[in-house]
Amino acid sequence: MSSLEHLMIDYCQHMMLLVEPGELRIIVANKMAEKMLGYSELDLLAMAITNIESSLQDVFYWEDVRNGQYQDIETQDGLYQCADGSLLTVTKSVKIIHHEGRPLILIQARDVQNEHKAEDALAQLLSQLRATLESTGNGILVIDWHGKIANMNRQFSSMWGISDDLLFETEEADILEFIAGQVVEPEAFRVRLQELVGDGETEDILSLQDGRVFECRSRPQYLGEHIIGRVFGFNDITEHKRAEEALRDSRDKLEEQVQKRTASLQMANTQLLAEKARQEDLIKQLEETQMQLLQSEKMASIGQLAAGVAHEINNPIGFVNSNLSTLQEYVDGMLRLLAAYEDVEGKLVNEALQDITLLKQEINIGYLRQDIGELLAESLDGLQRVRRIVKDLKDFSHVGELEKQSANLEAGLDSTLNVVWNEIKYKAEVVKEYGAIPEINCIASQLNQVFMNLLINAVQAIEDHGRITLRTAYDENSVWVEVEDTGKGIKPEQLGKIFDPFFTTKSVGMGTGLGLSLSYGIVNKHNGRIEVKSTVGKGTCFRVLLPRTG
């Protein structure tokens, strides 16, 4: 045998043995035979085939060969003796070939020991699957990709009423047609039974002509990655459907009752909401009226107080001012008379001159002449300051003013500052940054009240000594007044509450919590708004914005 031929049989996946029929000696053995049997090539070439094939039928066969009776064997199971003494189960085929005019026997064998084990395991698995198939509560039908029934369980035949005669004596197509004929819509069910190679899962509800309802689910059956059929599962859900219908009817009746009750409740709720809205409007109107009354009463009290103080102060100021003017005239005359006496001092006798000189020294006539004028001028200036204070009180209160009229907010800011100056002068420096804003139509006394509240809040926010900046400006639509302080500031969580009635950040006894609330109402009444910016530890800035036109 050539090396090429030997190489070819070495690469064969089965055992290859070539036997000389006369002495039954092995003359060729491939690598697979060495591997499977555990002998070396030299050991095999020194052995007879009967040393390996030891079953009784093999002994009879090789005895016939030795006697010249040759016979091919297509497939035959046998046992091969291995080098370690074990027996190997094989399936072999025997061919008689002729080489150089003489017959030779070619044996091809393969190990089927694992195959038998796999067949046994497969048979056991099939038995388990069959038991599982029969134990399930669903009817199972398996159709292969040819459209043939591959399997079904007893539950399937029972729920569809398939008789034994139909099962064992009828074609698969007749069985499928029998079950399709029981469905209310048979054509759709036939189409579903023919959809065998799709890779998706399906779910259908089948209504049967006898009133039952089946749930049908299907999924593809795989062999490896290939679809070889489809598995259908049927579940009788008739009772479930009837319970659903009964529940649905009950639910519909309940929903109808609920809808009636809901409509009644909605009507009652609508009435309650309307009543609540009406009460809220009344409460709001009452709060606004109370706020207006409180503001009017407060402003009226301030106005009456200012008017009374101004009237009471004006009376004594009038006659004191008149008396001081008259006194100044009298003093001027007396000083002129004194000057005239001084002119004639030189004509007096020495004794009289000496007495006058001593008197002039005693009363310090030179200082008296100078100081009398300064005292009178200072007194008159003080009276003018008192008059300005009285005027500022009148301007601040605007007694009797109820309607809007043109007013200068910067003048109102100045008069308000003079009124509260006693509160400010020891704790803060006041810086004015006026922008010469135009006059607007407003109730000046009410806006002065806003300015006073902001100024009082600003000075109370300053703990030791600080600065209050009064700033005004305007644009095409609005004018605004800013009161900025360098106090302790307002915490962010309190900014949203500062305009609420009775809310205050001041310590107990320092405030009522109504100042900013009243100020907000006044500014809102003037169609304006109050803005606030504050940084804790640095200060707060309130801006009052008002429209230039009413």
Side-chain angles (χ1 to χ4, degrees):
M1 181 178 295
S2 66
S3 60
L4 181 59
E5 292 170 342
H6 204 289
L7 182 63
M8 290 176 65
I9 67 171
D10 278 343
Y11 276 91
C12 181
Q13 296 298 315
H14 304 298
M15 290 184 287
M16 302 286 289
L17 298 173
L18 191 61
V19 178
E20 189 274 322
E23 298 179 359
L24 302 180
R25 182 172 53 85
I26 298 174
I27 59 175
V28 175
N30 69 347
K31 297 293 184 182
M32 183 57 69
E34 297 177 25
K35 178 180 178 182
M36 297 300 295
L37 298 176
Y39 297 104
S40 67
E41 183 180 12
L42 293 177
D43 291 339
L44 288 172
L45 296 181
M47 297 171 63
I49 188 61
T50 52
N51 296 127
I52 296 175
E53 295 187 358
S54 57
S55 66
L56 186 59
Q57 62 180 358
D58 293 333
V59 172
F60 288 152
Y61 176 80
W62 290 116
E63 187 62 29
D64 290 339
V65 170
R66 192 191 301 274
N67 294 327
Q69 297 179 7
Y70 309 137
Q71 184 181 0
D72 289 345
I73 299 175
E74 291 295 332
T75 302
Q76 178 179 302
D77 290 341
L79 296 174
Y80 275 16
Q81 186 76 36
C82 297
D84 59 2
S86 63
L87 294 176
L88 181 66
T89 303
V90 299
T91 294
K92 68 176 181 176
S93 63
V94 180
K95 295 290 184 181
I96 308 301
I97 63 174
H98 293 82
H99 179 66
E100 295 180 353
R102 65 190 181 109
L104 296 174
I105 298 175
L106 177 62
I107 303 170
Q108 183 175 357
R110 60 186 178 88
D111 180 10
V112 294
Q113 188 167 341
N114 293 331
E115 293 181 5
H116 289 335
K117 291 180 180 179
E119 289 175 355
D120 293 340
L122 181 60
Q124 184 179 2
L125 178 61
L126 290 175
S127 176
Q128 294 174 349
L129 289 176
R130 187 65 193 178
T132 303
L133 195 64
E134 292 298 340
S135 65
T136 182
N138 293 345
I140 304 299
L141 173 66
V142 183
I143 303 178
D144 64 20
W145 68 282
H146 295 294
K148 303 293 185 181
I149 296 177
N151 209 336
M152 69 174 72
N153 65 353
R154 291 188 182 90
Q155 179 66 20
F156 172 78
S157 60
S158 174
M159 65 191 302
W160 286 98
I162 304 173
S163 65
D164 293 340
D165 294 339
L166 191 62
L167 284 174
F168 299 114
E169 300 177 4
T170 310
E171 297 291 336
E172 289 93 340
D174 295 333
I175 296 176
L176 297 179
E177 183 59 32
F178 174 76
I179 64 174
Q182 299 184 49
V183 180
V184 174
E185 298 180 356
E187 285 301 323
F189 185 45
R190 291 189 186 99
V191 171
R192 179 65 73 202
L193 292 176
Q194 293 170 1
E195 295 174 350
L196 303 174
V197 294
D199 58 354
E201 298 183 5
T202 65
E203 180 177 351
D204 300 289
I205 301 298
L206 305 177
S207 298
L208 275 64
Q209 295 179 0
D210 60 4
R212 292 182 297 165
V213 180
F214 288 174
E215 180 184 54
C216 175
R217 298 173 182 266
S218 75
R219 63 182 59 194
Q221 182 184 23
Y222 287 93
L223 180 61
E225 297 181 355
H226 300 287
I227 297 176
I228 61 172
R230 183 164 284 270
V231 180
F232 293 85
F234 297 89
N235 183 27
D236 189 346
I237 58 172
T238 305
E239 294 301 325
H240 179 70
K241 282 293 183 181
R242 289 173 181 171
E244 281 187 348
E245 291 176 359
L247 181 62
R248 189 181 303 111
D249 293 340
S250 176
R251 184 186 62 192
D252 292 342
K253 293 179 181 179
L254 181 61
E255 286 181 352
E256 183 179 354
Q257 295 178 356
V258 169
Q259 288 176 355
K260 291 180 180 179
R261 183 58 178 166
T262 302
S264 176
L265 290 175
Q266 286 178 345
M267 183 177 297
N269 188 48
T270 302
Q271 294 174 353
L272 287 175
L273 290 175
E275 180 64 21
K276 181 181 177 182
R278 190 178 69 83
Q279 291 181 359
E280 288 178 349
D281 289 340
L282 290 175
I283 292 172
K284 185 177 180 181
Q285 293 175 8
L286 181 61
E287 288 177 348
E288 291 178 353
T289 303
Q290 184 181 9
M291 190 77 70
Q292 292 173 359
L293 288 174
L294 182 62
Q295 175 66 19
S296 298
E297 183 178 353
K298 188 173 183 179
M299 293 304 297
S301 299
I302 294 175
Q304 291 175 0
L305 176 64
V309 170
H311 176 73
E312 293 299 325
I313 292 177
N314 271 335
N315 287 334
I317 284 178
F319 65 73
V320 169
N321 184 57
S322 176
N323 291 343
L324 283 176
S325 298
T326 303
L327 179 60
Q328 189 175 26
E329 293 177 1
Y330 291 167
V331 169
D332 288 341
M334 291 178 66
L335 290 176
R336 286 198 303 272
L337 177 60
L338 180 60
Y341 279 123
E342 289 177 344
D343 289 341
V344 297
E345 278 184 6
K347 299 178 182 180
L348 297 175
V349 295
N350 289 336
E351 183 178 351
L353 180 61
Q354 184 178 3
D355 292 339
I356 292 173
T357 301
L358 289 174
L359 180 60
K360 288 171 67 177
Q361 291 176 352
E362 181 179 347
I363 64 174
N364 196 358
I365 190 63
Y367 174 77
L368 188 63
R369 180 180 290 153
Q370 178 182 354
D371 196 41
I372 285 176
E374 293 178 356
L375 288 176
L376 289 173
E378 185 176 344
S379 297
L380 290 172
D381 181 64
L383 286 174
Q384 293 300 321
R385 289 176 60 186
V386 173
R387 280 187 168 182
R388 284 199 301 272
I389 293 173
V390 172
K391 181 178 181 299
D392 287 337
L393 280 173
K394 287 184 176 181
D395 292 342
F396 172 77
S397 61
H398 285 266
V399 178
E401 180 183 311
L402 296 176
E403 300 295 331
K404 291 183 178 181
Q405 53 186 313
S406 181
N408 188 319
L409 295 185
E410 291 176 349
L413 197 58
D414 286 338
S415 64
T416 304
L417 180 63
N418 287 333
V419 171
V420 299
W421 179 247
N422 191 58
E423 296 284 339
I424 297 175
K425 61 183 178 180
Y426 300 111
K427 291 190 66 176
E429 169 194 1
V430 177
V431 177
K432 297 181 181 180
E433 298 179 0
Y434 290 172
I437 60 176
E439 293 185 354
I440 63 170
N441 285 329
C442 63
I443 302 177
S445 60
Q446 294 184 357
L447 292 181
N448 289 343
Q449 176 69 28
V450 173
F451 300 152
M452 184 177 73
N453 290 336
L454 296 181
L455 285 168
I456 294 297
N457 286 345
V459 72
Q460 289 180 348
I462 296 173
E463 295 180 341
D464 296 324
H465 193 275
R467 182 177 68 254
I468 297 176
T469 302
L470 304 180
R471 189 179 298 111
T472 63
Y474 67 98
D475 58 19
E476 294 180 359
N477 302 316
S478 306
V479 299
W480 57 86
V481 176
E482 291 183 358
V483 179
E484 182 178 2
D485 63 68
T486 57
K488 57 187 177 182
I490 304 172
K491 297 178 180 178
E493 61 269 18
Q494 296 177 335
L495 280 176
K497 303 177 182 179
I498 58 176
F499 295 110
D500 295 345
F502 306 109
F503 178 82
T504 179
T505 60
K506 302 172 186 176
S507 57
V508 177
M510 290 295 293
T512 63
L514 290 174
L516 287 178
S517 177
L518 290 171
S519 299
Y520 181 86
I522 293 171
V523 174
N524 187 60
K525 183 179 177 182
H526 283 78
N527 298 320
R529 67 181 189 273
I530 301 179
E531 297 177 350
V532 58
K533 294 186 294 183
S534 183
T535 302
V536 176
K538 293 186 177 180
T540 303
C541 178
F542 283 89
R543 172 183 284 190
V544 178
L545 291 102
L546 298 165
R548 291 183 61 174
T549 57

